Amino acid sequence: MSRIDDIYDWFDSRFGLGAAQSFLGKAFPAEDSFLLGEVALFCFGLLVASGTFLGFFYEPSTTATQYQGSVMQYQGEEMPAAFVSVLQITYDVPFGMLIRRMHHWAAHLFIASIALHMLRVFFTGAYRNPREPNWLVGLGLAGLSMGAAYTGYSLPFDEFASTAVGIGYNVTLSIPIFGEWLSNVAFGGSFPSSSTIPRLYFFHVVLIPLAIAGLLAVHMAILVRQKHTEAARDEDVQGRETVDADDGTVIVGLPAVPNQAAVSAVVFFLTLATLSLLSGFLPVHNIAEYGPNNPASTPELIMPDWFLMWGYGFLKLVPSWLSFDLLGIHFSAEFIGGLLLPGIVFGVVALWPFIDSSSEQVHFTADPTERPWQTAVGMAGITFIMAASIAGMDVVLSDVVGMSTAALRPYLIGLVVGAPVLIGFATFAVLGGFGSDPPTEGTATTDGGERKTEDEE
Ligand code: HEM
């Protein structure tokens, strides 16, 4: 018996590793698009790791501090401690610039991979019975991830980012009845006060990451319990035992350990390599150029990050005359554009598994080309978000087309309303939705019935 066997036996006698082995044999469908969720997972891990490094040097305070560092233009100047510390991280802390960039690009890849993962789940109908709860947990994760990015954006306290973050303050303040209280809780008083940065820092490094970690644990626990969906099988699967093509009670795929673990390791290192490459070559938000927050001035161009641009677009499109009073409560255009409309979008996404519902359990992924109306709604939704994002960039667009933003607004409203309808109908038509004999979903929606639990398999 080798030494390794001895060590294994020692642990086995203490922890009963034999039982864990059947768990580690959990089957993973060998579908590349299923790896998008893993990319998001790895990005979260890398965000925590790089954020921990930054936490050792970042100062969550706006107290005036004298800058002593490599950036000559600020040498000896008194500036907010938060801004000074990020300058130091970027130019004086060894590896600081690399890790700051890594954190930045990991945040962007995190949100991009979440969005793509969500689209994969949407277009393959993987949200249907019994996975509606995990769709809702996932949506919570998407919202929290945007919250993490938003609060992180504010931390360097430079002129550009803090002005953009101020938009969020005004939107919070515009909430009927609770606005003032909520903005006090979220921003520590009027924006920016001396409590704003410590408050947003607390959200960014404690509250939101813990909430994400908690929801991730729930997301993964539900996944392990319900198992993945699986691509429809063309024919019976031959293995240790034969599995019928339409038998949804048995999942066919790679065992978690060692096969899927090896695939996941490759995905992890590819994620790390991509982020290293981006961090090595692409600079991030240049705070030395923008300078520290200056309440007396407003930068010419204010824009949020790309993933919040659609919400910013709503803010730009809702005209001020749309404000109204109801039962003595004021509903401002800012509230309608900044919170009500994005809230409705989130609400519709949350309700979607109950709109395209299925009374029977579905364990096989659907082919989007065989689901004309669902795919059309998805395409219309993507177009809507993209059009609203273009509206958020109206200032840039007005420069390009040589029109004022006010003159541009009716066209942008037309784009946001018209383009999704057009794309939705076109998708529906191309997929044969108007035909007399609508396509069926074939084996893709075969009822899986009760799936076996791990120990039954
Ligand atoms: C922090 C964000 C998220 C992470 C790290 C994450 C991670 C994962 C992973 C690793 C899987 C298994 C592999 C896969 O199917 O891709 C999964 C499955 C799933 N996720 Fe997410 N997810 C996140 C957000 C979301 C969002 C935003 C949604 C939808 C609104 C969602 C809905 C689902 C569903 C329904 C499944 C089961 C899919 C199936 O069985 O085919 N997740 N997630």
Side-chain angles (χ1 to χ4, degrees):
M1 208 184 231
S2 73
R3 192 125 193 94
I4 297 209
D5 288 331
D6 287 345
I7 294 172
Y8 177 85
D9 285 345
W10 191 89
F11 278 101
D12 189 26
S13 65
R14 268 86 185 161
F15 300 112
L17 298 184
Q21 272 190 357
S22 76
F23 176 75
L24 295 180
K26 172 183 158 38
F28 273 77
E31 290 286 325
D32 292 347
S33 64
F34 282 58
L35 299 175
L36 285 164
E38 288 193 20
V39 174
L41 207 56
F42 297 142
C43 282
F44 180 62
L46 292 168
L47 277 167
V48 173
S50 52
T52 305
F53 176 93
L54 297 175
F56 286 118
F57 305 99
Y58 177 73
E59 198 66 53
S61 152
T62 50
T63 310
T65 309
Q66 198 179 55
Y67 175 69
Q68 301 290 349
S70 314
V71 185
M72 291 317 289
Q73 79 194 86
Y74 296 118
Q75 199 55 250
E77 246 187 76
E78 296 253 321
M79 297 182 292
F83 181 79
V84 167
S85 66
V86 179
L87 271 186
Q88 269 156 352
I89 288 171
T90 313
Y91 298 104
D92 296 300
V93 171
F95 298 105
M97 184 187 281
L98 181 77
I99 304 292
R100 186 176 158 226
R101 288 181 181 184
M102 199 90 157
H103 195 68
H104 176 99
W105 291 121
H108 285 253
L109 189 61
F110 183 47
I111 294 188
S113 56
I114 290 174
L116 292 176
H117 166 62
M118 189 173 167
L119 290 179
R120 193 285 287 173
V121 170
F122 179 90
F123 283 111
T124 60
Y127 50 78
R128 290 172 295 176
N129 181 4
R131 292 178 182 76
E132 311 94 327
N134 226 9
W135 171 265
L136 293 174
V137 172
L139 191 62
L141 280 166
L144 283 170
S145 311
M146 288 199 249
Y150 170 78
T151 48
Y153 198 52
S154 70
L155 297 183
F157 207 53
D158 62 286
E159 173 63 350
F160 184 92
S162 54
T163 312
V165 169
I167 299 169
Y169 170 73
N170 289 328
V171 169
T172 313
L173 202 58
S174 73
I175 298 173
I177 305 173
F178 303 105
E180 203 169 326
W181 178 79
L182 266 175
S183 56
N184 272 333
V185 171
F187 295 88
S190 60
F191 183 89
S193 74
S194 57
S195 323
T196 304
I197 288 294
R199 188 67 52 95
L200 293 177
Y201 182 66
F202 173 63
F203 282 122
H204 186 71
V205 304
V206 181
L207 227 49
I208 300 180
L210 279 182
I212 291 181
L215 274 194
L216 266 180
V218 176
H219 200 55
M220 292 301 106
I222 296 178
L223 180 81
V224 169
R225 181 69 197 155
Q226 297 182 333
K227 316 266 168 35
H228 294 72
T229 51
E230 192 187 328
R233 301 167 193 143
D234 292 334
E235 51 191 35
D236 295 351
V237 182
Q238 311 290 327
R240 270 179 306 180
E241 54 186 284
T242 303
V243 177
D244 293 345
D246 60 356
D247 184 357
T249 63
V250 178
I251 188 165
V252 174
L254 301 174
V257 177
N259 307 50
Q260 180 62 30
V263 175
S264 300
V266 172
V267 174
F268 172 76
F269 285 114
L270 279 178
T271 307
L272 187 60
T274 307
L275 291 176
S276 306
L277 208 67
L278 287 172
S279 311
F281 291 103
L282 290 187
V284 297
H285 195 64
N286 185 351
I287 62 157
E289 192 185 313
Y290 295 115
N293 172 259
N294 178 3
S297 80
T298 309
E300 251 177 56
L301 181 70
I302 313 171
M303 266 205 277
D305 274 330
W306 58 269
F307 46 82
L308 293 176
M309 198 65 82
W310 58 282
Y312 194 47
F314 292 150
L315 259 182
K316 293 287 188 88
L317 291 182
V318 174
S320 51
W321 53 259
L322 217 68
S323 307
F324 62 95
D325 288 300
L326 189 70
L327 303 171
I329 302 166
H330 184 64
F331 293 86
S332 66
E334 213 158 21
F335 169 69
I336 296 170
L339 268 177
L340 193 63
L341 292 180
I344 291 174
V345 171
F346 264 88
V348 170
V349 176
L351 285 178
W352 179 253
F354 308 98
I355 297 170
D356 177 29
S357 65
S358 157
S359 55
E360 295 183 334
Q361 295 203 334
V362 181
H363 294 302
F364 289 111
T365 55
D367 178 349
T369 62
E370 290 179 352
R371 303 193 333 137
W373 78 267
Q374 293 93 336
T375 303
V377 169
M379 292 303 291
I382 294 175
T383 312
F384 179 65
I385 294 297
M386 287 176 82
S389 301
I390 292 174
M393 295 183 275
D394 63 344
V395 176
V396 179
L397 204 62
S398 75
D399 269 355
V400 175
V401 297
M403 284 167 90
S404 70
T405 49
L408 209 57
R409 189 188 273 167
Y411 295 102
L412 289 174
I413 293 179
L415 183 76
V416 172
V417 176
V421 176
L422 206 71
I423 296 288
F425 272 106
T427 308
F428 191 68
V430 167
L431 295 182
F434 289 115
S436 52
D437 190 13
T440 57
E441 291 181 23
T443 53
T445 57
T446 308
D447 171 21
E450 274 281 313
R451 288 202 125 181
K452 288 181 180 178
T453 56
E454 216 61 66
D455 25 304
E456 285 166 339
E457 269 168 19

